[in-house]
Amino acid sequence: MIRILFWIALVALVIAAIRSKLRGMMPPPGQGAAPRQDRPAAREAETMIACAHCHVYFPESEAVKAGGREYCSPDHARLPPA
């Protein structure tokens, strides 16, 4: 009896997995293959630079400049370069 229940549960799981996969492949009703317009515009990548003290990379716009070097924070700008 337990073997029969096991095989029934296994078949039910396989059928559910197949239906889920097929449902994910189909576009939602009403949209068809039309391109999506609600997608935000891609942002341009920002240059990453390394901190002169800890060598961690961070965006150039967040740099703290001191003594001709770039640091990730004001605390590291006060410390000597590594």
Side-chain angles (χ1 to χ4, degrees):
M1 183 68 177
I2 291 180
R3 285 184 184 174
I4 294 173
L5 291 176
F6 170 77
W7 287 110
I8 291 173
L10 184 64
V11 169
L13 285 173
V14 169
I15 291 172
I18 291 172
R19 290 182 76 192
S20 173
K21 189 72 167 176
L22 290 175
R23 195 175 302 132
M25 293 172 58
M26 295 175 55
Q31 284 193 355
R36 294 185 56 159
Q37 298 295 333
D38 60 345
R39 210 178 262 178
R43 295 185 307 174
E44 206 169 303
E46 189 173 347
T47 304
M48 301 293 281
I49 56 175
C51 176
H53 181 73
C54 65
H55 306 290
V56 170
Y57 283 88
F58 58 94
E60 188 175 19
S61 63
E62 298 177 13
V64 177
K65 297 182 181 180
R69 297 177 185 240
E70 291 89 12
Y71 297 93
C72 63
S73 68
D75 293 333
H76 282 184
R78 285 184 287 236
L79 297 172

